[in-house]
Amino acid sequence: MNYDFALNTRYDKSAYEALAEASWQLFRKPRMQTQTYPILIALAALTLFVLIRGRGRYSPPVLIGAGLFVVLLLASIPLSGRSAKAKMCRTAVKAATSRGEFPVDIQFSFGRESIRSKVGEQVSMVKYEQATGFAALGEWRFLFFGQAAYIFHTSAFASPEESVRFRTYIEEKSGTALVTLKGTGPQR
């Protein structure tokens, strides 16, 4: 079979850390911002409103406790992101380890109609139209298929020019534009 691109990559801890960061930015953070953050901010605002309205009626321990509650609510927003990304990475590494696939070397071949991936003797094919997203985080590239993703580091490409050709190729084949995420991701 004829292929336009062939890449070898390794899914190790840094690859899963990069995927956790990309997934957080693309999917989980927006969900947290629309569902959870407004509730936390509303609780903090309500607590502050009650404290300000009832000035002088509360004892110092109640004021200190309420102040700590507000700080905890607002601190939970950035802390939840950090812990969620770490948990995503741990879960992916644990699942791959339990299957005996950690770290795993994968060979990708990009043909006219589909992408062929090979892990050991196991081969699978995915059509380009199944791609739901294409993202970059520093030197990392991700081709998403629903909740799954193919992970590539730019070191898998023979040259920067090949990386640019690959980007154009994937954008044309999948119909999805590359989304550049904030940050650099883990170093390989």
Side-chain angles (χ1 to χ4, degrees):
M1 193 171 216
N2 231 354
Y3 293 102
D4 298 321
F5 282 95
L7 298 174
N8 294 321
T9 190
R10 174 172 268 218
Y11 286 13
D12 55 10
K13 186 174 180 189
S14 62
Y16 288 121
E17 287 172 345
L19 180 60
E21 176 63 34
S23 295
W24 173 256
Q25 286 188 42
L26 287 171
F27 309 115
R28 288 168 180 84
K29 184 178 179 183
R31 194 174 334 147
M32 290 285 285
Q33 289 173 333
T34 60
Q35 295 174 355
T36 307
Y37 292 169
I39 294 168
L40 294 175
I41 292 169
L43 281 171
L46 178 64
T47 303
L48 286 174
F49 175 76
V50 168
L51 288 176
I52 292 170
R53 192 105 200 276
R55 245 183 327 222
R57 285 191 260 170
Y58 301 111
S59 66
V62 170
L63 291 173
I64 291 170
L68 289 173
F69 178 70
V70 168
V71 169
L72 178 65
L73 285 173
L74 297 177
S76 70
I77 292 172
L79 293 176
S80 66
R82 191 171 299 146
S83 77
K85 289 184 281 188
K87 183 179 179 182
M88 281 186 268
C89 182
R90 276 192 316 273
T91 302
V93 168
K94 187 176 181 178
T97 302
S98 70
R99 291 188 310 266
E101 300 176 347
F102 185 79
V104 65
D105 293 315
I106 303 173
Q107 298 171 336
F108 289 102
S109 302
F110 297 84
R112 287 186 173 36
E113 301 293 323
S114 61
I115 304 166
R116 176 183 182 262
S117 62
K118 183 178 179 189
V119 178
E121 297 302 315
Q122 183 181 353
V123 176
S124 62
M125 304 284 278
V126 176
K127 294 194 176 290
Y128 291 105
E129 53 265 10
Q130 291 176 278
T132 57
F134 185 35
L137 175 68
E139 299 295 312
W140 295 93
R141 302 295 177 266
F142 311 92
L143 188 56
F144 288 94
F145 299 93
Q147 293 184 354
Y150 289 158
I151 310 167
F152 310 98
H153 192 270
T154 55
S155 62
F157 298 101
S159 67
E161 294 79 21
E162 183 183 38
S163 178
V164 171
R165 280 195 345 255
F166 178 77
R167 172 188 177 170
T168 304
Y169 180 85
I170 293 297
E171 286 177 333
E172 288 173 6
K173 291 285 190 178
S174 68
T176 59
L178 181 72
V179 174
T180 303
L181 305 172
K182 293 179 184 175
T184 59
Q187 298 300 310
R188 172 135 273 186

Short mmCIF file of all heavy atoms in Angstrom, two decimals, residues 5 12 19 49 86 123 145 152 156-157 167 179 182:
data_model
loop_
_atom_site.label_atom_id
_atom_site.label_comp_id
_atom_site.label_asym_id
_atom_site.label_seq_id
_atom_site.Cartn_x
_atom_site.Cartn_y
_atom_site.Cartn_z
N PHE A 5 2.89 9.78 4.14
CA PHE A 5 3.74 10.07 5.30
C PHE A 5 3.88 8.81 6.12
O PHE A 5 2.92 8.05 6.25
CB PHE A 5 3.14 11.15 6.21
CG PHE A 5 3.31 12.55 5.71
CD1 PHE A 5 2.31 13.14 4.97
CD2 PHE A 5 4.46 13.27 5.98
CE1 PHE A 5 2.44 14.43 4.51
CE2 PHE A 5 4.60 14.56 5.53
CZ PHE A 5 3.59 15.15 4.78
N ASP A 12 5.10 7.81 25.81
CA ASP A 12 5.70 7.66 27.12
C ASP A 12 5.05 8.69 28.05
O ASP A 12 4.04 9.29 27.70
CB ASP A 12 7.22 7.83 27.05
CG ASP A 12 7.64 9.15 26.41
OD1 ASP A 12 6.77 10.04 26.18
OD2 ASP A 12 8.83 9.32 26.14
N LEU A 19 -0.68 15.25 26.19
CA LEU A 19 -2.08 14.99 25.85
C LEU A 19 -3.02 15.49 26.94
O LEU A 19 -4.07 16.06 26.63
CB LEU A 19 -2.30 13.50 25.60
CG LEU A 19 -3.72 13.08 25.24
CD1 LEU A 19 -4.19 13.77 23.95
CD2 LEU A 19 -3.81 11.57 25.12
N PHE A 49 -21.00 38.84 50.22
CA PHE A 49 -22.18 39.70 50.36
C PHE A 49 -22.77 39.58 51.77
O PHE A 49 -23.07 40.59 52.41
CB PHE A 49 -23.23 39.34 49.30
CG PHE A 49 -24.51 40.09 49.45
CD1 PHE A 49 -24.60 41.43 49.06
CD2 PHE A 49 -25.63 39.49 50.00
CE1 PHE A 49 -25.78 42.13 49.20
CE2 PHE A 49 -26.82 40.18 50.15
CZ PHE A 49 -26.90 41.51 49.75
N ALA A 86 -3.02 16.17 36.07
CA ALA A 86 -2.18 15.11 36.64
C ALA A 86 -2.95 13.79 36.69
O ALA A 86 -2.39 12.73 36.39
CB ALA A 86 -1.71 15.52 38.04
N VAL A 123 -2.54 -3.95 14.07
CA VAL A 123 -2.72 -2.88 13.08
C VAL A 123 -4.16 -2.39 13.13
O VAL A 123 -5.09 -3.19 13.23
CB VAL A 123 -2.39 -3.40 11.66
CG1 VAL A 123 -2.67 -2.33 10.62
CG2 VAL A 123 -0.94 -3.86 11.59
N PHE A 145 -9.74 12.02 17.69
CA PHE A 145 -10.84 11.21 17.16
C PHE A 145 -11.78 10.98 18.34
O PHE A 145 -11.64 10.00 19.06
CB PHE A 145 -10.35 9.86 16.62
CG PHE A 145 -9.37 10.00 15.49
CD1 PHE A 145 -8.01 10.03 15.72
CD2 PHE A 145 -9.82 10.13 14.19
CE1 PHE A 145 -7.11 10.16 14.69
CE2 PHE A 145 -8.93 10.27 13.14
CZ PHE A 145 -7.57 10.29 13.39
N PHE A 152 1.97 13.13 18.41
CA PHE A 152 3.23 13.19 17.68
C PHE A 152 4.10 14.29 18.27
O PHE A 152 3.60 15.35 18.61
CB PHE A 152 3.01 13.53 16.19
CG PHE A 152 1.98 12.70 15.53
CD1 PHE A 152 0.69 13.17 15.37
CD2 PHE A 152 2.28 11.44 15.06
CE1 PHE A 152 -0.27 12.40 14.74
CE2 PHE A 152 1.33 10.66 14.44
CZ PHE A 152 0.05 11.14 14.28
N ALA A 156 9.63 13.58 15.45
CA ALA A 156 9.31 12.44 14.58
C ALA A 156 9.44 12.80 13.10
O ALA A 156 9.52 11.91 12.26
CB ALA A 156 7.90 11.93 14.86
N PHE A 157 9.50 14.09 12.81
CA PHE A 157 9.61 14.54 11.42
C PHE A 157 11.07 14.69 11.03
O PHE A 157 11.90 15.08 11.85
CB PHE A 157 8.87 15.87 11.22
CG PHE A 157 7.40 15.78 11.50
CD1 PHE A 157 6.90 16.25 12.71
CD2 PHE A 157 6.54 15.20 10.59
CE1 PHE A 157 5.55 16.15 12.99
CE2 PHE A 157 5.19 15.10 10.86
CZ PHE A 157 4.69 15.57 12.07
N ARG A 167 1.33 19.22 8.41
CA ARG A 167 0.21 20.06 8.90
C ARG A 167 -0.77 20.35 7.76
O ARG A 167 -1.97 20.16 7.90
CB ARG A 167 0.76 21.36 9.46
CG ARG A 167 -0.35 22.35 9.79
CD ARG A 167 0.16 23.71 10.16
NE ARG A 167 -0.95 24.61 10.39
CZ ARG A 167 -0.82 25.80 10.91
NH1 ARG A 167 0.35 26.25 11.27
NH2 ARG A 167 -1.89 26.55 11.08
N VAL A 179 -5.25 23.96 15.62
CA VAL A 179 -5.49 24.89 16.72
C VAL A 179 -4.22 24.94 17.55
O VAL A 179 -3.75 23.90 18.02
CB VAL A 179 -6.68 24.43 17.60
CG1 VAL A 179 -6.84 25.32 18.81
CG2 VAL A 179 -7.95 24.35 16.79
N LYS A 182 -2.03 27.27 24.15
CA LYS A 182 -1.09 28.04 24.97
C LYS A 182 -0.14 27.08 25.68
O LYS A 182 -0.56 26.02 26.15
CB LYS A 182 -1.84 28.85 26.02
CG LYS A 182 -2.68 29.95 25.44
CD LYS A 182 -3.40 30.69 26.53
CE LYS A 182 -4.33 31.74 25.93
NZ LYS A 182 -5.12 32.40 26.96
#
